[in-house]
Amino acid sequence: MNRRWNLRSLKSNSMSDIVNPLWLLLTIGGVALVYGIILANWRRGLTGLVLCLPFAGLATVWTYPAPPIVLLAKDLFIVVPTYLSFSFWFWRSNRKRKSLLPRSFSFVPLSSLVVLLTLHLVNPSLANTAVGLIGLKVWLFYVPLCVLAYHFINSGNDLISLLKVMAAVGTIPSIIGLLQAVLVYSGNPEIAYSLYGSAADIVTQGYARFEGAGGQGMVRIASTFSFPMQYFSFLITLLPVYYSLWRITHQTLYFWTLSITIVAATLSGVRSAFVLIPAYFLIVLFLEGNLRHVGKPLAVIAVILPLSFISLVWLLGSSTGVLTGFIGNLIAFYTGTEQSSVMGELSRAFKATWLGMGTGMGTGPARYATLLSDGFVDSDLLGTESFYAKCILEIGIPGLLLVLLIFGRVLLQGYSGFLHLKSTPLKPVAASLLSTMIVICVYLVKGSFIDYDPLNIYFWIFAGIIMKLPTFRWNSGAYE
């Protein structure tokens, strides 16, 4: 009997030894192939990042609870080799004395922020080292994409090609999100949420509904992302992509994809859509200025936005009065003085600290690492939504001032480039990107969605593009 058992054990171990090395070899081979492709040309890495970003969340959802290797796959297998490849490329091409970014862009505030964040890794109030390291990664890991995007586009054609890639891949999550919204509101949520499997409850935040919107209540939609705010922030970044292509190419295809994106954002269940989308187009309208060019943003404001609102009212089974009141109450709440309002969170952060409690102490993803700490100071502070309140909690008033200075420099650089472009066809691209950056920087008063994919990536890519635009020379046939 023992002999038979040993024989089976030996057979089992042999099969295990065959299968495990096979999977290991396949994994290593796949990773080596990806690294080889990206290391040969860093631009492939940035393009690959743009292509995979809308769907990276599904890997997390389908493997829920996802192991760390899945959570970090995008960074380890795309971003890291892209950085390595770019560094090597830049070192080789430095004989031509290329500058990393425009000379008007100052590295002093950014370098100071890096130093401050590093110093706060040894802050006595820090819960543990893991919190600090996660916080540091969230703060800085994607900032270099600004430099890569700046060097990625060397002509208007490069820019249009990149925008078209973003547009093509972005249409898929928009359509999936629209279909999910229609299915949920038509009484088929099980079909809509079947995409998430066992993680559906987490992805939908407990199948949350906002009853105050009237009718059957507004639901949250996540599409191909792991939670609704990721999906909504992705849709916000698509607005300048579609609008820019529409303005440059004059193709109605991009008008329709822009319209789909607006409707999808309205139906996403993220209430900020009712404020941020109109604000974006109003800023574009202001920047466009010239009466010859205001027709397109006016068309969106006067037609597409109202139709999106009406479609939501119809699907909800609500009324325009109830939904308008819901939006008004929401704005009043967040501009009020309650603890969860913008002013309430900033006040709470000021009361908690002036010099900061350590890198990561206000960062959402770092909350998992607080489980390793027995004496975490105040777990409620870790739930702070406002990005600027988070800055105070982690790196104090000096850190907040540095962040505001960095954002201010980026916006001023963008506006300067916008003015430099004068009446060239690239001007609406600059206006569109600048409007997005302004909306994001203002909305960070309310939420810290720049800490999460995909906005943490697109924000810095857009920053690099908007700095590069003034260096282009317009050729009337360049985009045809």
Side-chain angles (χ1 to χ4, degrees), residues 8 129 149 157 166 186 209 232 238 263 274 277 303 319 326 333 392 411 416 462 477 480:
R8 289 177 181 176
T129 304
N157 287 332
M166 291 180 175
S186 63
R209 285 182 183 265
F232 174 70
L238 286 179
V263 175
F274 300 112
I277 297 177
V303 180
S319 67
F326 172 72
F333 172 76
I392 298 169
L411 295 180
S416 175
F462 287 169
E480 296 177 2

Side-chain angles (χ1 to χ4, degrees), residues 9-25:
S9 176
L10 179 62
K11 184 177 180 181
S12 175
N13 288 336
S14 299
M15 290 296 294
S16 174
D17 290 339
I18 292 172
V19 172
N20 288 339
L22 178 61
W23 279 109
L24 183 61
L25 285 173

Side-chain angles (χ1 to χ4, degrees), residues 2 24 62 81 95 152 181 415 423 438 460 464 472:
N2 287 338
L24 183 61
W62 290 340
R95 303 167 195 164
F152 186 90
Y415 186 67
S423 59
I438 292 171
W460 295 110
F472 293 161

Side-chain angles (χ1 to χ4, degrees), residues 363-439:
T363 299
R367 68 182 51 161
Y368 301 107
T370 62
L371 298 174
L372 304 175
S373 176
D374 294 328
F376 185 53
V377 180
D378 186 353
S379 59
D380 291 336
L381 293 174
L382 204 59
T384 299
E385 288 189 21
S386 169
F387 176 76
Y388 298 122
K390 166 201 156 169
C391 292
I392 298 169
L393 287 174
E394 295 195 6
I395 50 180
I397 304 300
L400 175 63
L401 294 176
L402 279 174
V403 168
L404 293 175
L405 181 59
I406 291 168
F407 287 166
R409 288 298 296 254
V410 170
L411 295 180
L412 286 174
Q413 185 81 5
Y415 186 67
S416 175
F418 167 78
L419 294 176
H420 178 79
L421 290 168
K422 298 181 180 178
S423 59
T424 67
L426 287 174
K427 191 171 185 178
V429 180
S432 186
L433 291 175
L434 181 58
S435 300
T436 306
M437 302 289 284
I438 292 171
V439 165

Side-chain angles (χ1 to χ4, degrees), residues 136-428:
L136 192 66
K137 188 263 183 185
V138 170
W139 271 98
L140 300 176
F141 190 69
Y142 300 113
V143 176
L145 291 173
C146 176
V147 178
L148 271 66
Y150 179 81
H151 289 278
F152 186 90
I153 51 173
N154 296 314
S155 67
N157 287 332
D158 289 343
L159 172 62
I160 299 305
S161 297
L162 180 61
L163 291 178
K164 285 184 175 180
V165 170
M166 291 180 175
V169 75
T171 306
I172 300 171
S174 300
I175 293 174
I176 290 175
L178 277 175
L179 291 174
Q180 283 184 316
V182 171
L183 285 168
V184 171
Y185 288 123
S186 63
N188 297 286
E190 67 283 352
I191 300 175
Y193 299 141
S194 61
L195 179 66
Y196 312 122
S198 61
D201 183 72
I202 301 296
V203 172
T204 59
Q205 297 176 313
Y207 306 100
R209 285 182 183 265
F210 298 102
E211 305 294 342
Q216 57 182 300
M218 186 187 301
V219 298
R220 289 195 180 276
I221 302 296
S223 186
T224 57
F225 294 86
S226 56
F227 62 94
M229 183 52 78
Q230 280 186 309
Y231 172 50
F232 174 70
S233 64
F234 177 69
L235 296 176
I236 286 292
T237 60
L238 286 179
L239 295 179
V241 173
Y242 292 132
Y243 181 80
S244 297
L245 290 171
W246 181 33
R247 286 284 282 111
I248 289 178
T249 66
H250 305 290
Q251 294 180 11
T252 55
L253 168 66
Y254 297 113
F255 167 76
W256 291 114
T257 50
L258 176 65
S259 301
I260 289 171
T261 302
I262 294 170
V263 175
T266 305
L267 300 181
S268 67
V270 177
R271 299 164 291 175
S272 305
F274 300 112
V275 177
L276 297 188
I277 297 177
Y280 165 79
F281 283 104
L282 286 172
I283 297 172
V284 170
L285 183 64
F286 173 77
L287 291 174
E288 291 273 30
N290 193 311
L291 290 175
R292 291 185 305 164
H293 301 139
V294 298
K296 290 186 175 180
L298 270 178
V300 174
I301 293 171
V303 180
I304 304 303
L305 292 178
L307 285 177
S308 301
F309 184 83
I310 292 169
S311 66
L312 178 60
V313 171
W314 176 67
L315 285 171
L316 280 173
S318 182
S319 67
T320 54
V322 171
L323 191 54
T324 302
F326 172 72
I327 297 168
N329 292 334
L330 182 69
I331 295 172
F333 172 76
Y334 282 117
T335 55
T337 57
E338 290 85 355
Q339 186 175 5
S340 298
S341 68
V342 170
M343 292 306 298
E345 290 206 335
L346 289 171
S347 175
R348 189 159 55 117
F350 275 120
K351 289 177 181 178
T353 179
W354 282 73
L355 296 177
M357 300 170 61
T359 303
M361 290 293 280
T363 299
R367 68 182 51 161
Y368 301 107
T370 62
L371 298 174
L372 304 175
S373 176
D374 294 328
F376 185 53
V377 180
D378 186 353
S379 59
D380 291 336
L381 293 174
L382 204 59
T384 299
E385 288 189 21
S386 169
F387 176 76
Y388 298 122
K390 166 201 156 169
C391 292
I392 298 169
L393 287 174
E394 295 195 6
I395 50 180
I397 304 300
L400 175 63
L401 294 176
L402 279 174
V403 168
L404 293 175
L405 181 59
I406 291 168
F407 287 166
R409 288 298 296 254
V410 170
L411 295 180
L412 286 174
Q413 185 81 5
Y415 186 67
S416 175
F418 167 78
L419 294 176
H420 178 79
L421 290 168
K422 298 181 180 178
S423 59
T424 67
L426 287 174
K427 191 171 185 178

Side-chain angles (χ1 to χ4, degrees), residues 86-114:
F86 175 82
S87 300
F88 181 64
W89 169 83
F90 187 79
W91 174 74
R92 285 190 308 167
S93 62
N94 202 35
R95 303 167 195 164
K96 301 177 182 179
R97 297 186 178 277
K98 290 186 177 182
S99 59
L100 276 175
L101 279 176
R103 293 179 182 177
S104 56
F105 181 85
S106 175
F107 280 98
V108 174
L110 187 57
S111 301
S112 302
L113 180 63
V114 172

